[in-house]
Amino acid sequence: MTRKTFDAAAIAAHEAGLSAALDAGRRVLAGGGTALDAVTAAVCALEDDPHFNAGRGAVFTYHGTNELDAAIMAGDTRAAGAVAGVMHTRNPVKLARTVMEAGPHVFLSGAGAEEFARDHGVEHVDPDWFATPERWRQLEELKSRKLGWFDSGMKYGTVGAVARDAAGHVAAATSTGGLTGKRWGRIGDSPLIGAGTYADDRAGAVSCTGSGEQFIRAGAAHEICARMRLTGESADQAAAAVLAEIGAIGGVGGVIVVTPAGETALAFTTPGMFRARADSTGLEEVAIFA
Amino acid sequence: MTRKTFDAAAIAAHEAGLSAALDAGRRVLAGGGTALDAVTAAVCALEDDPHFNAGRGAVFTYHGTNELDAAIMAGDTRAAGAVAGVMHTRNPVKLARTVMEAGPHVFLSGAGAEEFARDHGVEHVDPDWFATPERWRQLEELKSRKLGWFDSGMKYGTVGAVARDAAGHVAAATSTGGLTGKRWGRIGDSPLIGAGTYADDRAGAVSCTGSGEQFIRAGAAHEICARMRLTGESADQAAAAVLAEIGAIGGVGGVIVVTPAGETALAFTTPGMFRARADSTGLEEVAIFA
């Protein structure tokens, strides 16, 4: 993503979406809620906003469907839930959380994940709910220009949130439509615990966006936590080290991190990353480019 | 698994399967082949052997199908490939390797993964190829006794291999049918890079078996590599630390590790683990119980 990709109206719309998500998470925490509830609220807001590539407004697959991935993890128990390839669940992050809290497994996929969603009363929508004209245009452009996934400039937009609550617990959640034109049931890093999403009260909570294949190969989110826990690196140091490692294997992207002490990192190797941050001292920040 | 679970004939059959897989891998390495080729050959042998829960002889899902997961990773490049929920690919590990070498993605799932398999000429079989009477009996027993996945004692049998070649490179591969009676498109740790499978020439190659959900939450395979790389722990120390951590969150299982220096670890917190090991000095070991 570059400044050229977005006009003033698009920037304003994305900033408004970020502010709304930030507010949703902050309201939970200000009311004494948990980090887990805060990241759920923030990611739900972004899933419902058609400007972001998650939930409504997700990119289209090669076959013209929207197939959604999400994950959530709690730092206190290291409980986790994730789903891949769902096509009828309005808020995939809520389904991931239901998997974490109500199911025997961590990671469900495809039609089976939606059978679980129905069994557990997670809101079901018609696939049209997710479809937007702009994402369809992007798919058609990718196909007509015979662009690959890796040179389309349309691959980002995954949403994520990390939070630290008053009890000092952290949580992370990530949700995405994946890559425009993805095929073959491709699963990226977002729903993979340890790749795109990880939370551990002994280190921090991490959510990632970017070239998912390299984030998987680096074990990015777990590696950031491992570096903080095993070597004492700060969130900024660990995030920079992992982004450098991802760069060395050909990837770019960004990460957001929060620690139980309240330290945060928002790091990226792309020209920009839609991001927002707030804390109980009044800090409030919404930004896009470097 | 306990001594009571297996009679002498079953033990002999499993030991023969382990020896055959060990030979397949050793032949590759003795001929100057790569660690990647060695783990592919060893895991293919175990997938084709109906005594192990991978490929032919995989456990049945709740709905009476065989749905297979596999992953492979090369330590020199940290390239990786993985598939989940395939039902027609004779050797899922070969498909994982084709994903790694021929595709733009790391992780493919379900019908899409098999479309990729067809596009790339990976051997296709009728689902009956995988089905064995003993696994069907286990599914019926699980259902009739209303056992859960986590108290069935039928959940192990994932196969894996790690190897180090003459050039000092390591590789890991894992393949499984998952849990008897699994539902909802459940994906376990085996095909998740960083959870059940990881390889990094800076540390080692790891393949895991056991209660997959806890292995995912611990980022087990990546954590073993991270401990060796960041703290200098030996393979045995790192394996023991991670199995202890998995125990602390309620899981049991085993791991196999090899380092670029040729150090190995075969560690487990179950009563036994089918395992075999060989090296160029003539070491040869096949074992089941502790």
Side-chain angles (χ1 to χ4, degrees):
Chain A
M1 50 171 291
T2 65
R3 285 174 204 270
K4 279 195 302 187
T5 322
F6 294 95
D7 62 19
I11 288 176
H14 283 85
E15 287 178 343
L18 288 170
S19 289
L22 192 65
D23 283 345
R26 187 166 44 184
R27 262 197 308 276
V28 170
L29 295 173
T34 65
L36 203 58
D37 283 340
V39 296
T40 305
V43 170
C44 278
L46 294 166
E47 286 177 338
D48 283 347
D49 185 325
H51 296 93
F52 297 89
N53 175 20
R56 192 176 190 194
V59 300
F60 284 94
T61 68
Y62 185 84
H63 297 294
T65 55
N66 301 113
E67 302 186 11
L68 311 168
D69 303 337
I72 192 166
M73 187 163 185
D76 52 350
T77 56
R78 273 174 287 149
V83 293
V86 299
M87 301 172 69
H88 300 86
T89 298
R90 172 172 168 172
N91 291 108
V93 72
K94 285 189 187 169
L95 178 53
R97 183 153 175 193
T98 305
V99 170
M100 180 180 102
E101 294 180 337
H105 300 310
V106 166
F107 191 17
L108 305 183
S109 62
E114 295 197 302
E115 183 193 336
F116 182 89
R118 280 192 302 276
D119 292 350
H120 290 82
V122 179
E123 186 180 349
H124 184 273
V125 291
D126 187 274
D128 288 348
W129 166 261
F130 303 108
T132 60
E134 171 59 14
R135 297 300 188 190
W136 188 259
R137 190 197 63 69
Q138 291 174 359
L139 177 65
E140 297 206 316
E141 181 184 341
L142 179 135
K143 286 189 167 183
S144 67
R145 292 171 60 195
K146 301 198 189 309
L147 293 170
W149 300 271
F150 295 109
D151 51 16
S152 72
M154 298 170 189
K155 57 197 174 194
Y156 306 119
T158 293
V159 309
V162 295
R164 181 262 194 193
D165 62 29
H169 301 308
V170 296
T174 311
S175 183
T176 191
L179 303 180
T180 298
K182 69 182 179 181
R183 285 182 74 177
W184 303 302
R186 180 257 189 189
I187 300 175
D189 63 316
S190 302
L192 303 190
I193 300 302
T197 306
Y198 204 72
D200 181 349
D201 274 1
R202 300 169 304 174
V206 181
S207 177
C208 304
T209 181
S211 39
E213 278 65 18
Q214 284 82 5
F215 279 73
I216 294 171
R217 291 164 55 198
H222 182 268
E223 173 75 8
I224 288 174
C225 289
R227 296 185 79 98
M228 291 194 285
R229 175 167 43 85
L230 298 172
T231 74
E233 284 184 355
S234 69
D236 275 323
Q237 289 170 325
V242 171
L243 287 173
E245 186 172 324
I246 285 166
I249 57 172
V252 295
V255 302
I256 55 174
V257 187
V258 69
T259 71
E263 182 195 356
T264 58
L266 308 173
F268 49 97
T269 51
T270 41
M273 178 172 77
F274 294 111
R275 60 199 187 276
R277 168 162 56 179
D279 69 19
S280 58
T281 70
L283 167 74
E284 175 165 348
E285 177 190 345
V286 176
I288 300 184
F289 299 104
Chain B
M1 50 171 292
T2 65
R3 285 174 204 270
K4 280 195 300 186
T5 322
F6 294 95
D7 62 20
I11 288 176
H14 283 85
E15 287 178 341
L18 287 170
S19 288
L22 192 66
D23 283 346
R26 187 165 45 182
R27 263 196 307 275
V28 170
L29 295 173
T34 65
L36 203 58
D37 283 340
V39 296
T40 305
V43 170
C44 278
L46 294 165
E47 286 177 337
D48 284 347
D49 184 325
H51 296 93
F52 297 90
N53 174 20
R56 192 175 191 193
V59 300
F60 283 93
T61 68
Y62 184 83
H63 298 294
T65 55
N66 301 114
E67 302 187 11
L68 311 168
D69 302 338
I72 192 165
M73 187 163 185
D76 52 351
T77 56
R78 275 174 284 151
V83 293
V86 299
M87 301 172 70
H88 300 85
T89 298
R90 172 172 168 173
N91 291 110
V93 72
K94 285 188 187 170
L95 178 54
R97 183 154 174 191
T98 305
V99 170
M100 178 179 103
E101 295 180 336
H105 301 311
V106 166
F107 191 18
L108 305 182
S109 62
E114 296 197 302
E115 182 194 336
F116 182 89
R118 280 192 302 276
D119 291 350
H120 290 83
V122 178
E123 185 178 351
H124 185 274
V125 290
D126 187 273
D128 288 347
W129 166 262
F130 303 109
T132 61
E134 171 60 13
R135 297 299 188 192
W136 188 260
R137 189 196 64 70
Q138 291 174 0
L139 177 65
E140 296 207 316
E141 181 184 341
L142 180 135
K143 287 188 166 183
S144 67
R145 293 172 59 193
K146 301 197 191 308
L147 294 170
W149 301 272
F150 295 108
D151 52 15
S152 73
M154 299 170 188
K155 58 196 175 195
Y156 306 120
T158 293
V159 309
V162 294
R164 181 262 194 194
D165 61 30
H169 301 309
V170 296
T174 311
S175 184
T176 190
L179 302 180
T180 297
K182 68 181 179 182
R183 285 184 74 176
W184 304 304
R186 179 257 190 187
I187 299 175
D189 63 316
S190 302
L192 303 190
I193 300 302
T197 307
Y198 203 73
D200 181 349
D201 275 1
R202 300 170 303 176
V206 181
S207 176
C208 303
T209 181
S211 40
E213 278 65 20
Q214 285 82 4
F215 279 73
I216 295 172
R217 292 164 54 198
H222 183 267
E223 173 75 8
I224 288 174
C225 289
R227 297 186 79 97
M228 292 194 284
R229 175 167 43 85
L230 297 173
T231 75
E233 284 184 355
S234 69
D236 275 323
Q237 289 170 325
V242 171
L243 288 173
E245 186 172 323
I246 285 166
I249 57 172
V252 295
V255 301
I256 55 175
V257 187
V258 68
T259 72
E263 183 195 355
T264 58
L266 308 174
F268 49 97
T269 51
T270 41
M273 176 173 77
F274 294 112
R275 60 198 187 276
R277 169 161 59 177
D279 69 18
S280 58
T281 70
L283 168 73
E284 176 164 348
E285 177 188 345
V286 177
I288 300 183
F289 298 105

